[in-house]
Amino acid sequence: MSTTITHGDPSLAAASPPPPKRRTARASSVLVYLSPVAMFVVLTLTTPGVLSTTGVMSLLVLASVLGLAAVGQTWAVMIGGIDLSIPATIGMANVLVTTLYAEGWGFPRIVLLVVVVSLAIGTANGLLSSLFGLHPLVVTLGMASLVTGSVLVATDGNTGGDVPGFITDAVSPVGSVWGIGVPAAVILWLATLAVVLLVERRTVFGRRLYALGSNERAARLALVRPVVVRVVVYSVGALCASAAGVLLAGFSGGASVSIGDPYLFSTITAVVVGGTSLLGGAGTYARTVAGVLVTTMFTTLLVGLEIGPNMQQVMLGVAILLLITVYGRDRHVAQRL
């Protein structure tokens, strides 16, 4: 009788604690979004100059480049894949902008070419991984080699060039847009963030992203077309990576086909630190944003402590392994159904 009363009393049901797994998931989400705050406190204690307006804007500019590059990686992981062609796409855009601008091309014309090439890369990634049943890791790795090789052949290895002044201003910590004291790179990232979150949460395509990553067979039965979803995901990723490559030209003042190499590791780090499941079917770009901020500040902290780039890679690798032990133990969504 007591059992019947307990289950039939709404107040008692409401007072009962949530299941352990739900509590764990909520705690994980809180930890993800609190981690940038904690990292910023640590950074300010060790590097006081970060508290200045220029210091904060410098962090945000660095985060904006990584954040743009990580859009495609996030969506690729959410559908159960990965994108290893992001660094090559960044390098392609970087070289095209600087080289063609030095040859007298107008910037709108250059942007149009970069967009066309980026869409071709994304479409090829999506089609090859879908129509031929190839794993995205293999497809995107091959595409990365193809893109890099093609750039080197087209330029004959001479990747020098010139950078438009407004791109340099866009990544300057003291830059501004429309009289607002925020660099254009940060504004672009914030606009991209708003659009990506809107697509994830409010559109049919967003639901299809999660459906495909959760269970491809069930998604097909629900009339989701995996080929279309993958082509869109990898095309959006290529476009965002190209935007990052253009912004990086403002830092370097020239071109380098390998300028995007560090972003393969960094984008994956941001996704993992953000807690998006590597098994697919779960996660959000909002989590990746938290991961981007943590990764950027952690790297800045290591530089401030005069830790060399090689040891930085070691410490970032250790951080990823530790986080995978936390986030990587979740079962795939399809296994919970």
Side-chain angles (χ1 to χ4, degrees):
M1 179 66 67
S2 58
T3 303
T4 303
I5 294 174
T6 300
H7 286 283
D9 189 343
S11 63
L12 292 178
S16 60
K21 289 184 179 179
R22 186 177 301 176
R23 288 202 304 266
T24 302
R26 289 176 180 174
S28 175
S29 297
V30 172
L31 179 62
V32 165
Y33 295 117
L34 284 180
S35 56
V37 179
M39 181 57 68
F40 184 72
V41 171
V42 173
L43 185 61
T44 54
L45 291 176
T46 57
T47 313
V50 172
L51 282 174
S52 65
T53 301
T54 303
V56 172
M57 288 302 165
S58 296
L59 285 175
L60 289 177
V61 168
L62 293 173
S64 65
V65 177
L66 176 56
L68 288 170
V71 171
Q73 198 69 271
T74 303
W75 278 10
V77 170
M78 283 169 57
I79 63 172
I82 196 168
D83 192 350
L84 302 186
S85 65
I86 287 176
T89 306
I90 291 174
M92 174 275 297
N94 184 266
V95 170
L96 284 182
V97 167
T98 54
T99 302
L100 296 180
Y101 188 76
E103 293 180 1
W105 283 45
F107 187 71
R109 187 181 174 193
I110 297 173
V111 170
L112 179 60
L113 177 61
V114 170
V115 168
V116 170
V117 175
S118 300
L119 290 176
I121 293 171
T123 300
N125 283 334
L127 289 177
L128 291 173
S129 60
S130 297
L131 299 181
F132 297 97
L134 301 174
H135 196 284
L137 185 149
V138 178
V139 173
T140 56
L141 179 62
M143 184 58 63
S145 180
L146 175 62
V147 171
T148 300
S150 298
V151 171
L152 291 174
V153 169
T155 60
D156 198 25
N158 299 317
T159 57
D162 194 12
V163 181
F166 58 85
I167 294 180
T168 303
D169 293 338
V171 296
S172 172
V174 296
S176 63
V177 178
W178 304 309
I180 303 173
V182 179
V186 178
I187 297 294
L188 176 61
W189 183 36
L190 292 176
T192 303
L193 168 62
V195 173
V196 171
L197 293 183
L198 178 65
V199 171
E200 287 181 358
R201 299 177 180 180
R202 300 295 182 182
T203 67
V204 173
F205 180 78
R207 293 192 290 272
R208 289 173 178 171
L209 276 177
Y210 291 103
L212 181 60
S214 300
N215 189 314
E216 182 172 347
R217 184 177 180 182
R220 288 180 183 273
L221 294 175
L223 303 181
V224 174
R225 291 184 288 180
V227 176
V228 174
V229 174
R230 289 194 180 100
V231 167
V232 172
V233 165
Y234 287 106
S235 295
V236 169
L239 288 172
C240 291
S242 294
V246 172
L247 291 176
L248 283 173
F251 286 111
S252 63
S256 172
V257 72
S258 61
I259 197 169
D261 289 354
Y263 286 87
L264 173 61
F265 192 68
S266 298
T267 54
I268 296 175
T269 301
V271 173
V272 173
V273 170
T276 294
S277 174
L278 296 175
L279 299 173
T284 172
Y285 183 62
R287 281 176 166 263
T288 297
V289 169
V292 165
L293 294 173
V294 170
T295 302
T296 301
M297 288 187 284
F298 185 54
T299 304
T300 303
L301 175 63
L302 296 180
V303 172
L305 296 176
E306 299 184 352
I307 295 176
N310 295 332
M311 185 54 65
Q312 289 179 29
Q313 294 293 317
V314 171
M315 298 187 71
L316 283 171
V318 171
I320 287 179
L321 291 175
L322 291 175
L323 288 165
I324 285 178
T325 61
V326 177
Y327 301 127
R329 290 183 291 180
D330 287 342
R331 292 181 298 164
H332 191 276
V333 175
Q335 295 175 317
R336 302 183 208 145
L337 300 178

